[in-house]
Amino acid sequence: MHWAEFSIGHRGAPLRFPEHTLESYTAAARMGAGIVECDVTFTKDRELVCRHAQDDLHTTTNVVTIPELNAKCTQPFVPAVPSEGKPAQAECRTSDFTLAELKSLQGKTDDVNPMATTPEAYINAGPRPLARGTLLSHRESIRLLKALGVGFAPELKTPVVAMPYEGDYTQEDFARQMIAEYRAEGVPPEAVWPQSFRLADILFWLDQANEFGQRAALLDMDKPTPLNTSLIAMAKLKALGVNAVAAPLWKLLALDDQGHIVPSRYARNARMAGLALLAWTVERSGSLAGGGGWYYQSVAQAINNDGDMFAVIDALAREVGVVGIFSDWPATTTFYANCTGRAGPSRRPFLNIE
């Protein structure tokens, strides 16, 4: 497959490989993703790591099966009591562990058996043996993705711990540290697309690391209202210096009176205001035969088979005009990009927005 920046590996390629692991990132690159995402959070010793959330280690790793580490969890594993209908309990955060401790864990599919009575049964929720993956620090992910020849879409995850962490590690320190690691690894700003759900983070990067902030994407899944989808609201974002927004599929797509998939009011006004658009996430809702679930809610009446995945991607590309699509299985979006001329290192709309 050709290198396609239009195709973005969401957490790597987690439809089959444990998310945010060496194996998942490598698979995404081999499927032709031109950009791969690392969700960035921090450890107890304030090292940055790739995890989708600060508090998901109990569902995405084998931590609860290691007694000495399980004991350090915010909520160590407690077995279910099936006879009383009580589910198992556990909550393990990256901030519960040092980087060295976290690196001793194995990544796994994000799933648990809530009625398990043993740690092993808790993490082995699916019908197949667990695929295991190698966890990465943020710096290790940078080095890996550089070696794979792809770009970077780091998302600064909103911490679940109170900030400042331990009284002196502020949100600004966290945001600054993420960008500093790209600079330290010699990554040019045009190869990085920082993301955050917090507008304050985007504005901080614009002020403190403008060459990176210019490419930052504001993640947005707020429920649409006449106000927040208006051209005025979009123009205000643009005036603040925001150049891109990344939204779920349903927020960018709508149906017209004939039942055809068309750009939403939100998407039309964002484009009119000069904002670049990114979409997330295809390949994350299972079979589309029943309408596609949460990600496809605004176009569910037009979705009835898995082939409609390409109808959605095509609408996002041709009608909405997105510059990139996040996918849990990047091969699908890469295939589309190859077929429609959106692939190849000579076409770089994602990294070069003026």
Side-chain angles (χ1 to χ4, degrees):
M1 291 183 177
H2 293 100
W3 190 60
E5 289 173 338
F6 181 78
S7 175
I8 308 167
H10 177 246
R11 314 187 199 183
L15 194 63
R16 175 64 181 85
F17 300 90
E19 64 185 45
H20 294 307
T21 61
L22 181 152
E23 293 78 9
S24 191
Y25 291 167
T26 301
R30 288 177 177 172
M31 291 180 198
I35 307 287
V36 175
E37 178 193 49
C38 166
D39 289 327
V40 182
T41 186
F42 57 86
T43 62
K44 186 175 181 64
D45 49 351
R46 305 180 188 185
E47 296 288 345
L48 302 186
V49 293
C50 298
R51 290 284 89 201
H52 177 65
Q54 192 174 45
D55 57 349
D56 71 1
L57 293 182
H58 53 292
T59 69
T60 63
T61 76
N62 64 333
V63 63
V64 299
T65 68
I66 305 172
E68 62 272 22
L69 296 183
N70 176 61
K72 296 184 177 184
C73 290
T74 296
Q75 169 59 70
F77 174 76
V78 176
V81 185
S83 62
E84 300 178 12
K86 293 182 179 179
Q89 300 177 52
E91 183 184 341
C92 303
R93 302 175 177 177
T94 59
S95 53
D96 292 332
F97 307 102
T98 65
L99 176 60
E101 289 170 334
L102 185 136
K103 287 280 293 172
S104 71
L105 304 176
Q106 292 180 325
K108 72 171 193 70
T109 302
D110 185 7
D111 194 14
V112 295
N113 175 5
M115 298 310 294
T117 58
T118 68
E120 290 74 16
Y122 182 73
I123 69 169
N124 285 277
R128 297 182 302 175
L130 282 178
R132 297 300 175 96
T134 307
L135 270 60
L136 298 170
S137 70
H138 179 232
R139 280 210 172 193
E140 288 172 329
S141 80
I142 295 172
R143 293 165 187 164
L144 172 65
L145 297 180
K146 280 179 67 176
L148 291 170
V150 300
F152 310 83
E155 179 187 337
L156 194 76
K157 301 302 295 188
T158 301
V160 299
V161 297
M163 299 295 279
Y165 176 60
E166 296 183 334
D168 62 348
Y169 183 67
T170 67
Q171 181 70 25
E172 291 76 17
D173 292 332
F174 180 30
R176 184 183 297 109
Q177 184 178 356
M178 188 184 88
I179 298 301
E181 295 198 346
Y182 287 97
R183 287 173 167 161
E185 294 296 329
V187 177
E190 61 267 22
V192 184
W193 193 291
Q195 309 166 80
S196 177
F197 278 100
R198 300 178 72 254
L199 177 59
D201 292 334
I202 309 296
L203 298 181
F204 176 81
W205 289 324
L206 285 165
D207 181 58
Q208 298 291 316
N210 186 261
E211 69 277 26
F212 289 89
Q214 288 292 325
R215 291 167 173 79
L218 177 64
L219 295 161
D220 181 8
M221 66 174 183
D222 290 345
K223 182 178 179 180
T225 67
L227 179 60
N228 68 21
T229 61
S230 68
L231 180 58
I232 291 174
M234 301 300 175
K236 284 182 178 179
L237 282 178
K238 184 67 176 178
L240 288 171
V242 177
N243 286 320
V245 292
L249 307 181
W250 58 263
K251 193 159 186 174
L252 299 176
L253 299 173
L255 296 178
D256 65 14
D257 292 340
Q258 288 74 47
H260 300 138
I261 300 175
V262 295
S264 66
R265 180 175 185 264
Y266 175 93
R268 294 195 308 270
N269 285 333
R271 288 292 306 278
M272 195 175 300
L275 294 167
L277 292 172
L278 299 102
W280 45 274
T281 305
V282 299
E283 310 270 32
R284 196 160 182 83
S285 289
S287 173
L288 302 191
W294 186 84
Y295 286 92
Y296 299 86
Q297 59 187 276
S298 63
V299 294
Q301 293 180 356
I303 302 296
N304 60 26
N305 67 86
D306 286 344
D308 284 335
M309 182 78 66
F310 287 107
V312 168
I313 293 173
D314 190 60
L316 289 167
R318 296 182 188 274
E319 303 297 329
V320 176
V322 300
V323 296
I325 297 177
F326 288 83
S327 173
D328 278 12
W329 195 249
T332 303
T333 305
T334 302
F335 177 80
Y336 174 87
N338 276 310
C339 291
T340 58
R342 286 173 170 79
S346 63
R347 185 179 178 90
R348 301 171 65 85
F350 184 69
L351 297 179
N352 291 301
I353 289 177
E354 299 299 333

